[in-house]
Amino acid sequence: MMNMTPVVKQLLIINIIFFIGSQLVPISYEYLAMFFPENPSFQVWQPITHMFMHGGIMHIAFNMFALVSFGSALEHFWGGKKFLFFYISCGLGSALLHTAVNYYFFEDTINILTANGYHKADILNILSQGKIDTRWQTLVSAAQFDGFTSAYIGTVVGASGAIYGLLTAFAFMFPNAELALMFIPIPIKAKYFVPGLLLIDLFLGVKGTSLFGGGGTGIAHFAHVGGAITGFLMMWYWKKNQFNNNRWN
């Protein structure tokens, strides 16, 4: 904690303030968590604010531990402005991929329903009231229906997407640094650890989609993957343009 860099410290404080505030005022989730774009509760600021909301003490504790551990090292080399730009960009990339995957499966079910005589406006109107038409369940599989309703009703919170971007950048810059998880105490080099973690997320994300009929885990796995992909693309671009060593301060 003694080596915590300024922007990382500020992000840590903001996340803690948001967490305490959300526990004291639970209704804040309705405004600051990220909803599906077709849901009336969606607001344009949610792709940003959802990064500072967390679902529980373990959720925020893990993310903030990773922010301090990996973020401080990156900010030290990049400077605060560049680090913050990278962090927010990865969070937005995370939200984009998660929403795109949800949108694909949501529209897939919408297309099936409209092909069977339902109108999209009527479907959205029923969903917006927190209701469903049980006849829909006879036209799609149980997994498709679950993905359809959870995409519309569910919310996304957490800094995990941005954190995965930091993990990717750390592995990019320090590939031979050894990392370990609490339940895997064996040190693994970052260049193997981070891709392995992403493969697990990708597998669980794909398994949980209606396409494969798997059950969801309650974790936005594609948000993690989206943050990592955004981080990788930014690092690749910066390296290609010999820009990754330049500070913005």
Side-chain angles (χ1 to χ4, degrees), residues 224-236:
H224 296 173
V225 175
I229 290 175
T230 304
F232 176 82
L233 291 175
M234 292 180 70
M235 294 300 294
W236 175 80

Side-chain angles (χ1 to χ4, degrees), residues 224-246:
H224 296 173
V225 175
I229 290 175
T230 304
F232 176 82
L233 291 175
M234 292 180 70
M235 294 300 294
W236 175 80
Y237 177 81
W238 285 346
K239 184 172 184 178
K240 181 180 178 182
N241 289 273
Q242 298 182 335
F243 192 58
N244 60 317
N245 290 322
N246 294 346

Side-chain angles (χ1 to χ4, degrees), residues 101-102 105 198-217 219-225:
V101 171
N102 270 358
F105 288 106
L198 285 172
L199 285 174
I200 293 172
D201 261 305
L202 184 60
F203 170 76
L204 292 175
V206 170
K207 184 176 181 295
T209 63
S210 58
L211 180 66
F212 287 83
T217 63
I219 299 173
H221 295 289
F222 283 108
H224 296 173
V225 175

Side-chain angles (χ1 to χ4, degrees), residues 83-94:
F83 170 78
L84 183 61
F85 175 76
F86 182 88
Y87 182 88
I88 297 297
S89 296
C90 289
L92 292 174
S94 161

Side-chain angles (χ1 to χ4, degrees), residues 66-127:
L67 170 63
V68 173
S69 300
F70 300 102
S72 293
L74 296 173
E75 185 183 348
H76 174 76
F77 283 95
W78 290 345
K81 292 180 181 178
K82 185 176 179 181
F83 170 78
L84 183 61
F85 175 76
F86 182 88
Y87 182 88
I88 297 297
S89 296
C90 289
L92 292 174
S94 161
L96 179 62
L97 182 61
H98 173 81
T99 301
V101 171
N102 270 358
Y103 191 81
Y104 173 82
F105 288 106
F106 182 82
E107 286 297 316
D108 182 54
T109 301
I110 286 286
N111 290 336
I112 293 173
L113 296 179
T114 54
N116 283 273
Y118 293 92
H119 297 286
K120 183 175 181 179
D122 295 332
I123 296 170
L124 293 177
N125 182 51
I126 292 171
L127 288 173

Side-chain angles (χ1 to χ4, degrees), residues 20-232:
I20 294 173
S22 67
Q23 301 306 299
L24 296 175
V25 188
I27 198 174
S28 60
Y29 282 96
E30 295 184 21
Y31 299 96
L32 303 178
M34 189 175 73
F35 284 82
F36 188 64
E38 302 233 37
N39 190 309
S41 295
F42 176 79
Q43 302 293 341
V44 293
W45 59 76
Q46 291 173 356
I48 292 288
T49 57
H50 89 281
M51 297 183 217
F52 302 100
M53 302 289 287
H54 288 85
I57 190 68
M58 291 304 298
H59 190 200
I60 189 172
F62 176 82
N63 280 345
M64 294 305 98
F65 175 77
L67 170 63
V68 173
S69 300
F70 300 102
S72 293
L74 296 173
E75 185 183 348
H76 174 76
F77 283 95
W78 290 345
K81 292 180 181 178
K82 185 176 179 181
F83 170 78
L84 183 61
F85 175 76
F86 182 88
Y87 182 88
I88 297 297
S89 296
C90 289
L92 292 174
S94 161
L96 179 62
L97 182 61
H98 173 81
T99 301
V101 171
N102 270 358
Y103 191 81
Y104 173 82
F105 288 106
F106 182 82
E107 286 297 316
D108 182 54
T109 301
I110 286 286
N111 290 336
I112 293 173
L113 296 179
T114 54
N116 283 273
Y118 293 92
H119 297 286
K120 183 175 181 179
D122 295 332
I123 296 170
L124 293 177
N125 182 51
I126 292 171
L127 288 173
S128 68
Q129 299 175 51
K131 302 176 181 178
I132 62 168
D133 186 330
T134 54
R135 292 174 297 178
W136 299 342
Q137 294 172 283
T138 65
L139 300 173
V140 296
S141 69
Q144 281 179 306
F145 188 76
D146 180 63
F148 167 70
T149 53
S150 62
Y152 185 88
I153 298 170
T155 58
V156 184
V157 295
S160 301
I163 296 300
Y164 267 68
L166 299 186
L167 282 170
T168 302
F170 186 88
F172 208 100
M173 294 181 66
F174 312 104
N176 294 315
E178 294 188 336
L179 307 174
L181 290 173
M182 288 182 289
F183 50 87
I184 305 179
I186 303 172
I188 304 172
K189 289 184 178 180
K191 62 184 177 183
Y192 304 125
F193 180 93
V194 175
L197 198 60
L198 285 172
L199 285 174
I200 293 172
D201 261 305
L202 184 60
F203 170 76
L204 292 175
V206 170
K207 184 176 181 295
T209 63
S210 58
L211 180 66
F212 287 83
T217 63
I219 299 173
H221 295 289
F222 283 108
H224 296 173
V225 175
I229 290 175
T230 304
F232 176 82

